[in-house]
């Protein structure tokens, strides 16, 4: 490459990065607004902006980790615990002394018991046989802690979990140790769901930028992927002078900078004129073809499998129609806010399975309006609609036909066609009905 011939500057080897689906979608939309094939340059600009002010990265990284943990934490498991009056009084006094609650002290006690249980079988059996347990309290523990405790105590038969907790509490009361440090670390620790990240994206980084990123990650006990997710969020929160920065990242030279910027400006003007013209809406096909643009949503593997099995009952390629029926029923539900709150209280498995759903503009507008009213987003509402349609899918035959065949003038013909297809399909499966 000469000084007069700009060309495309090589940017090194690709490195794999993974973003959460929402951040990835916003980055792609932002890159598409600047020009075609601008995603890699946009990510490199985010990395350079992050590294340009390294002193602010540690605090921002801590805030991002806390926000991620708050969003992914699993609710405590509530458990009744019967104590004798003396132990209950000592536990209450210790909680007041350290300005905390009894559950935090119990969590520390159980953690110490699990990490250094020693000989515990006979103390637990003696504790399980006591009859003076007249004081009942409720404690809140991590679900994983209870599972580990049950596995430990169930090796010899039944699992006297409550007795083991009382033994752990009594051992801590006899020897508190460095309780202040343990309350800050162990007592406040929460179970977290795995972070939901999308598929891998390869982005080219030159050697110097990659080395800077790795060196900074090593100083912060992090890695390049976590720093790039932080850089992407900071870029989306403050995208000033982004078009100029991306252009400089793509074409690193001054020989024909003005020509390149002018060409990019013309491209933007052409794109704006194309989007300003009213789009031509194609009428839905009465044969049940997909309509509208296809949107990507994420489900866990079990939910996707169950959706496909239910959709197969109505014919091939009916998954989009089934999800649209579920979305419409969720929009019509007057208690959608209560349903969403209940769903959020239930820990869900990682959503890694991709499902493409065709949605028209009108339905998208209704989803966005409901999401804004409930403080949610499309992904969460579509997942909620899918779980509801799996639970309440009785008597949706007509609604599925409405969604698959939107033509009232030949409704009778379509119903008969669907009935014939069902008879043939059942006969092939060997049901005989």
């Amino acid at each position: 490459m000469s000084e007069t011939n700009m060309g495309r500057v090589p940017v090194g080897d690709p490195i794999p990065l993974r973003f959460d689906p929402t951040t990835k979608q916003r980055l792609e939309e932002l890159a598409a607004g600047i020009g075609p094939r601008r995603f890699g340059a946009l990510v490199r600009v985010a990395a350079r902006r992050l590294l340009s002010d390294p002193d602010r990265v540690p605090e921002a990284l801590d805030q991002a980790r806390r926000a991620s943990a708050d969003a992914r934490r699993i609710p405590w498991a509530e458990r009744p615990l019967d104590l004798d009056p003396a132990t209950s009084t000592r536990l209450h006094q210790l909680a007041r002394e350290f300005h905390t609650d009894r559950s935090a002290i119990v969590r520390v006690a159980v953690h110490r018991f699990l990490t250094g249980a020693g000989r515990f079988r006979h103390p637990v059996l003696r504790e399980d046989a006591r009859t003076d347990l007249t004081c009942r309290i409720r404690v809140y523990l991590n679900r994983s802690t209870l599972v580990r405790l049950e596995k430990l105590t169930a090796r010899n038969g039944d699992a006297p979990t409550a007795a083991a907790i009382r033994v752990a509490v009594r051992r801590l009361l006899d020897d508190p140790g460095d309780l202040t440090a343990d309350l800050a670390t162990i007592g406040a620790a929460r179970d977290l769901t795995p972070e939901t990240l999308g598929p891998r994206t390869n982005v080219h980084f030159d050697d110097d930028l990659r080395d800077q990123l790795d060196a900074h990650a090593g100083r912060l006990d992090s890695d390049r992927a976590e720093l790039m997710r932080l850089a992407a969020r900071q870029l989306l929160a403050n995208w000033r002078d982004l078009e100029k920065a991306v252009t400089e990242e793509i074409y690193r030279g001054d020989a024909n900078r003005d020509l390149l910027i002018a060409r990019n400006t013309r491209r933007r003007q052409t794109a704006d004129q194309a989007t300003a013209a009213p789009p031509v809406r194609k009428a839905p096909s009465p044969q049940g073809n997909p309509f509208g643009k296809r949107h990507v949503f994420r489900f866990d593997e079990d939910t996707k499998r169950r959706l496909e099995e239910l959709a197969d009952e109505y014919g091939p390629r009916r998954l989009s129609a089934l999800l649209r029926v579920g979305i419409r029923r969720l929009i019509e539900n007057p208690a959608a806010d209560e349903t969403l709150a209940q769903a959020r209280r239930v820990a869900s498995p990682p959503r890694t399975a991709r499902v493409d759903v065709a949605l028209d503009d009108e339905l998208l507008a209704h989803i966005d309006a409901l999401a804004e009213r409930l403080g949610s987003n499309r992904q969460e509402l579509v997942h909620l609609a899918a779980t509801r349609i799996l639970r309440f899918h009785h008597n949706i035959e007509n609604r599925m036909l409405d969604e698959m065949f939107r033509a009232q003038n030949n409704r009778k013909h379509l119903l008969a066609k669907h009935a014939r297809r069902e008879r043939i399909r059942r006969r092939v499966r060997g049901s005989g009905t």
Side-chain angles (χ1 to χ4, degrees):
M1 184 184 69
S2 64
E3 294 182 356
T4 58
N5 182 16
M6 282 290 298
R8 297 298 294 268
V9 178
V11 287
D13 298 328
I15 63 174
L17 298 175
R18 296 179 68 195
F19 302 95
D20 63 273
T22 302
T23 301
K24 176 72 178 303
Q25 181 181 359
R26 293 180 61 192
L27 286 173
E28 290 176 341
E29 292 173 352
L30 195 58
I34 298 174
R37 292 177 301 200
R38 296 295 186 260
F39 184 83
L42 183 67
V43 173
R44 291 193 296 274
V45 168
R48 296 186 189 280
R49 290 188 175 182
L50 179 77
L51 296 173
S52 64
D53 192 3
D55 295 336
R56 298 181 58 186
V57 176
E59 181 181 358
L61 186 61
D62 290 340
Q63 292 178 354
R65 286 173 174 174
R66 288 196 299 269
S68 176
D70 291 341
R72 296 183 292 117
R73 63 185 181 182
I74 300 175
W76 300 116
E78 182 181 3
R79 184 179 182 87
L81 182 64
D82 294 327
L83 299 173
D84 59 278
T87 302
S88 178
T89 302
R90 292 173 60 193
L91 180 62
H92 180 69
Q93 291 174 350
L94 191 63
R96 291 185 59 185
E97 179 183 349
F98 284 88
H99 305 286
T100 185
D101 57 8
R102 292 173 295 189
S103 293
I105 296 178
V106 173
R107 288 194 291 270
V108 173
V110 175
H111 176 80
R112 292 181 181 179
F113 182 83
L114 288 171
T115 54
R119 296 177 62 86
F120 65 89
R121 182 184 177 187
H122 295 295
V124 170
L125 292 177
R126 287 195 299 268
E127 187 66 36
D128 192 40
R130 296 185 62 167
T131 59
D132 58 342
L133 307 174
T134 59
C135 298
R136 168 164 288 195
I137 64 173
R138 293 191 175 276
V139 294
Y140 298 89
L141 307 175
N142 283 314
R143 301 177 188 274
S144 62
T145 302
L146 290 175
V147 172
R148 291 173 57 197
L149 190 61
E150 290 176 358
K151 287 183 178 179
L152 179 66
T153 57
R155 291 185 299 180
N156 300 304
D158 295 336
T161 307
I165 295 175
R166 289 196 296 272
V167 170
V169 171
R170 196 166 289 110
R171 287 181 178 180
L172 182 141
L173 293 175
D174 294 338
D175 182 16
D178 190 3
L179 190 55
T180 303
D182 286 347
L183 285 173
T185 55
I186 302 169
R190 297 288 292 269
D191 285 342
L192 303 178
T193 57
E195 192 171 11
T196 303
L197 299 176
R200 185 181 67 181
T201 301
N202 290 329
V203 180
H204 291 266
F205 275 60
D206 58 71
D207 295 340
D208 181 58
L209 182 58
R210 185 178 64 250
D211 293 343
Q212 291 184 48
L213 195 63
D214 290 342
H216 202 57
R219 288 191 294 269
L220 298 176
D221 192 22
S222 179
D223 53 51
R224 65 170 70 138
E226 186 180 29
L227 287 187
M228 284 310 306
R229 287 192 284 271
L230 174 63
R233 286 191 291 266
Q234 290 184 346
L235 182 75
L236 292 172
N238 186 9
W239 43 278
R240 66 187 187 282
D241 301 328
L242 190 58
E243 184 175 341
K244 180 180 178 182
V246 171
T247 302
E248 292 176 350
E249 181 63 35
I250 297 175
Y251 307 104
R252 301 176 189 174
D254 297 325
N256 53 355
R257 177 68 54 87
D258 294 338
L259 174 64
L260 294 169
I261 293 178
R263 188 176 71 176
N264 191 58
T265 302
R266 290 195 302 272
R267 183 187 295 117
R268 288 294 305 274
Q269 291 175 350
T270 303
D272 293 341
Q273 292 174 0
T275 55
V280 178
R281 294 285 302 277
K282 183 179 179 180
S285 171
Q287 281 74 33
N289 294 328
F291 60 95
K293 293 182 179 180
R294 304 190 72 82
H295 297 264
V296 177
F297 298 98
R298 296 285 172 180
F299 299 90
D300 57 274
E301 296 289 348
D302 182 64
T303 300
K304 180 181 178 181
R305 177 186 57 79
R306 294 170 59 198
L307 284 171
E308 291 174 343
E309 291 176 355
L310 181 58
D312 186 59
E313 295 294 326
Y314 299 94
R317 298 189 300 273
R318 294 297 183 254
L319 183 58
S320 285
L322 178 66
L323 283 173
R324 287 196 295 271
V325 170
I327 292 169
R328 296 184 192 281
R329 293 179 66 175
L330 178 64
I331 293 172
E332 298 167 0
N333 183 16
D337 51 348
E338 298 178 4
T339 305
L340 179 62
Q342 182 180 3
R344 285 173 173 171
R345 290 193 293 268
V346 179
S348 59
R351 302 171 187 173
T352 57
R354 166 176 172 163
V355 176
D356 294 346
V357 185
L359 302 175
D360 57 32
D361 295 338
E362 181 182 0
L363 189 55
L364 282 174
H366 285 299
I367 296 176
D368 292 339
L370 183 61
E372 183 177 0
R373 180 169 66 85
L374 301 181
S376 180
N377 52 53
R378 290 181 185 175
Q379 169 65 49
E380 188 177 31
L381 291 185
V382 172
H383 187 271
L384 176 60
T387 55
R388 282 180 55 80
I389 199 66
L390 289 174
R391 292 178 58 193
F392 311 107
H393 56 267
H394 302 291
N395 301 323
I396 63 170
E397 180 83 11
N398 290 336
R399 299 200 65 162
M400 284 293 294
L401 290 174
D402 286 337
E403 196 61 48
M404 292 187 293
F405 311 108
R406 295 189 165 192
Q408 300 297 327
N409 54 353
N410 58 350
R411 179 139 188 111
K412 184 176 180 181
H413 167 69
L414 294 171
L415 287 170
K417 179 180 177 182
H418 182 70
R420 289 195 302 271
R421 184 188 297 119
E422 283 295 294
R423 287 196 298 269
I424 295 173
R425 183 172 61 85
R426 293 177 180 177
R427 189 160 53 248
V428 170
R429 287 186 175 182
S431 60
T433 57

